[in-house]
Amino acid sequence: MQRKGASRRRGEALELAILEAVWAEFSELGYLGLTMEGVAKRAGTSKPVLYRRWSTKVEMLIACIANRIPQAESVPDTGSLRGDMVALLTVARERMSVIGQTAMLGMLTEVSKDPEAREVLLGGLANELVNMVYQVIYRRSIERGELTEEQLTPRLLRLPTDLARNEFLLFGTISDEAVTSIVDEVILPALRARGASV
Amino acid sequence: MQRKGASRRRGEALELAILEAVWAEFSELGYLGLTMEGVAKRAGTSKPVLYRRWSTKVEMLIACIANRIPQAESVPDTGSLRGDMVALLTVARERMSVIGQTAMLGMLTEVSKDPEAREVLLGGLANELVNMVYQVIYRRSIERGELTEEQLTPRLLRLPTDLARNEFLLFGTISDEAVTSIVDEVILPALRARGASV
DNA sequence: ACTGTCAAGATACGGCCCGTATCTTACGGA
DNA sequence: TCCGTAAGATACGGGCCGTATCTTGACAGT
């Protein structure tokens, strides 16, 4: 289409240019306004080039986001479980804000038909946070002697991320008040009742 | 379009026939397959008739669901907070299953642009369950002397519904295991840590 | 019974985007 | 240099959108 004088791109250079265009379109028009045609035009390429790589818009967007949010930044060691947890939820909020409410809902929608795709999505983005809960925050707390391994369950590991996600899917944002009430009224009490001294 | 010999419907009779058609289309084709054109054809009417009532597909579906799920059945009194809570989550699961994962995501998507519409959706369907938590389950528990009013917070009232919704939005279903782990590892412990004897 | 009003119902339209098929053309490796 | 492969352009049928227009039936008031 465009790029008349330029040389023909291939491989990774092309792919990055496309993902760049995906992000630009997504940022300007939002998830609903994101179209294959628009991306192709913006990237100076054509639809078949996109469909050779991704078969749906969401798949493409997931690739784009995975490319933009490579690694989760670590959570600072605040010295207390409460502080760490607040910091984690803040990180979660920022990561979700980058994606946006509509896009998250859209991804879940696409992925709801295909359990395998769900694994990719949840395993890739959400589990990163869940793992951080377990491998960083709770581990620090165990080392401080506040928790024991046995007091933790898979459900408790998921809990912070689940509540943050729910809040974000409903309201498109996570207020400071939401963060503190989640931590102080749910997470910490649930741990205490299992014997933790947090 | 169709209904050649029949008399022309008006008002409520027409409206109910349309909502019937919405439900039929939705059940057969799912949320993504639901279209204004399809509904119009199935109801034996035409698109303008639909657009005179609802401006979007979701708005129409919400009206349909509100019509189909009028009142929440009450939760049986099992004699214990744990039993009541399990029963509530089971009711929540059934209500959500009727709607379906994709439709719930779709509704949230449409509603994400319009805070006012969100109030309608959440206030109408979700709050029904939240109110049941407060006005039925917790109240019974308070009467049994297990809880006091002061131990409850808005966040704790929302908690059961929030966790159920999150589970359903992610997986499209709420397993028995999910129900019990939510109750036994999160909700009850969180209450106990605040002084409840449940 | 007559008539005016209003919504039902039918149809058609431009538009957007989908997903794919086809063809030419450039790149890059052997 | 030649050849395979993928880029890039284009065109297509199709579906659904949302709206404008028109006719016709139902109902109410007199």
Side-chain angles (χ1 to χ4, degrees):
Chain A
M1 194 83 77
Q2 287 152 328
R3 290 176 44 80
K4 295 186 308 183
S7 87
R8 180 174 289 183
R9 299 158 297 181
R10 298 178 76 100
E12 192 162 353
L14 175 59
E15 188 127 348
L16 289 178
I18 293 174
L19 292 181
E20 190 73 23
V22 173
W23 185 252
E25 290 279 303
F26 174 59
S27 302
E28 285 182 19
L29 307 171
Y31 178 75
L32 297 176
L34 185 69
T35 66
M36 300 303 250
E37 302 216 338
V39 170
K41 178 175 290 187
R42 158 107 53 166
T45 180
S46 60
K47 284 194 292 175
V49 175
L50 305 183
Y51 280 105
R52 276 174 204 134
R53 290 173 166 72
W54 311 283
S55 58
T56 66
K57 140 179 162 177
V58 172
E59 207 177 308
M60 185 176 71
L61 182 57
I62 290 176
C64 171
I65 289 175
N67 185 270
R68 295 224 140 220
I69 316 188
Q71 73 294 348
E73 325 71 37
S74 191
V75 174
D77 190 340
T78 65
S80 73
L81 179 57
R82 185 184 185 283
D84 284 6
M85 195 59 81
V86 169
L88 173 94
L89 290 183
T90 305
V91 167
R93 163 169 61 188
E94 278 155 16
R95 282 169 69 91
M96 293 183 195
S97 296
V98 171
I99 299 173
Q101 182 184 16
T102 322
M104 257 185 92
L105 288 165
M107 293 196 230
L108 283 174
T109 301
E110 283 290 332
V111 137
S112 68
K113 294 170 289 191
D114 182 358
E116 174 189 346
R118 174 169 50 226
E119 285 312 307
V120 175
L121 179 64
L122 296 183
L125 297 176
N127 270 348
E128 211 170 324
L129 285 171
V130 174
N131 289 336
M132 203 180 295
V133 174
Y134 180 52
Q135 291 167 0
V136 178
I137 297 189
Y138 283 158
R139 200 152 294 282
R140 286 179 192 157
S141 190
I142 290 173
E143 283 169 10
R144 285 193 296 264
E146 303 164 338
L147 271 181
T148 69
E149 189 88 35
E150 297 76 37
Q151 289 163 353
L152 298 176
T153 68
R155 173 66 56 182
L156 286 173
L157 297 182
R158 285 176 48 186
L159 186 58
T161 343
D162 281 351
L163 289 176
R165 183 190 311 111
N166 174 76
E167 194 80 11
F168 189 77
L169 289 179
L170 283 190
F171 304 111
T173 180
I174 306 178
S175 68
D176 291 337
E177 190 279 333
V179 170
T180 56
S181 71
I182 286 173
V183 172
D184 293 331
E185 300 173 21
V186 181
I187 299 177
L188 295 185
L191 290 172
R192 283 192 204 108
R194 298 182 63 86
S197 50
V198 288
Chain B
M1 194 85 74
Q2 285 152 332
R3 292 175 41 82
K4 295 186 308 182
S7 86
R8 179 174 290 183
R9 300 159 296 182
R10 298 178 75 101
E12 193 162 351
L14 174 60
E15 187 127 346
L16 288 177
I18 293 174
L19 293 180
E20 190 74 21
V22 172
W23 185 251
E25 290 280 303
F26 174 58
S27 302
E28 284 180 21
L29 306 171
Y31 178 75
L32 297 176
L34 185 69
T35 66
M36 301 302 251
E37 303 216 338
V39 169
K41 179 175 289 186
R42 159 106 54 168
T45 181
S46 60
K47 285 194 290 174
V49 175
L50 305 184
Y51 280 103
R52 275 173 207 137
R53 290 174 168 72
W54 310 282
S55 59
T56 66
K57 141 179 164 178
V58 173
E59 207 177 309
M60 184 176 71
L61 182 57
I62 290 176
C64 171
I65 289 175
N67 186 270
R68 294 226 142 220
I69 315 187
Q71 73 295 350
E73 325 70 39
S74 191
V75 174
D77 190 342
T78 67
S80 73
L81 179 58
R82 184 186 185 282
D84 285 5
M85 195 59 82
V86 168
L88 172 94
L89 290 183
T90 305
V91 167
R93 162 167 63 188
E94 278 154 17
R95 281 169 69 91
M96 293 183 193
S97 296
V98 171
I99 299 174
Q101 182 185 16
T102 322
M104 259 186 89
L105 289 165
M107 293 197 231
L108 284 175
T109 302
E110 282 289 333
V111 139
S112 67
K113 293 169 290 190
D114 182 357
E116 173 189 346
R118 174 169 52 225
E119 284 313 305
V120 175
L121 178 65
L122 297 183
L125 297 176
N127 269 349
E128 213 170 325
L129 286 171
V130 174
N131 287 338
M132 203 180 296
V133 173
Y134 179 53
Q135 291 167 0
V136 178
I137 297 189
Y138 283 157
R139 200 151 294 282
R140 285 179 192 156
S141 191
I142 290 173
E143 283 169 10
R144 285 193 297 263
E146 302 164 340
L147 271 180
T148 69
E149 189 90 32
E150 297 75 38
Q151 289 161 356
L152 299 177
T153 67
R155 173 66 55 182
L156 285 173
L157 297 182
R158 284 177 49 186
L159 186 58
T161 343
D162 280 352
L163 289 175
R165 183 191 311 112
N166 174 75
E167 194 81 11
F168 189 77
L169 288 178
L170 282 190
F171 303 112
T173 180
I174 305 178
S175 68
D176 291 339
E177 190 278 334
V179 169
T180 56
S181 70
I182 286 173
V183 172
D184 293 330
E185 300 174 22
V186 181
I187 299 178
L188 295 185
L191 289 172
R192 282 192 205 107
R194 299 182 64 85
S197 50
V198 286

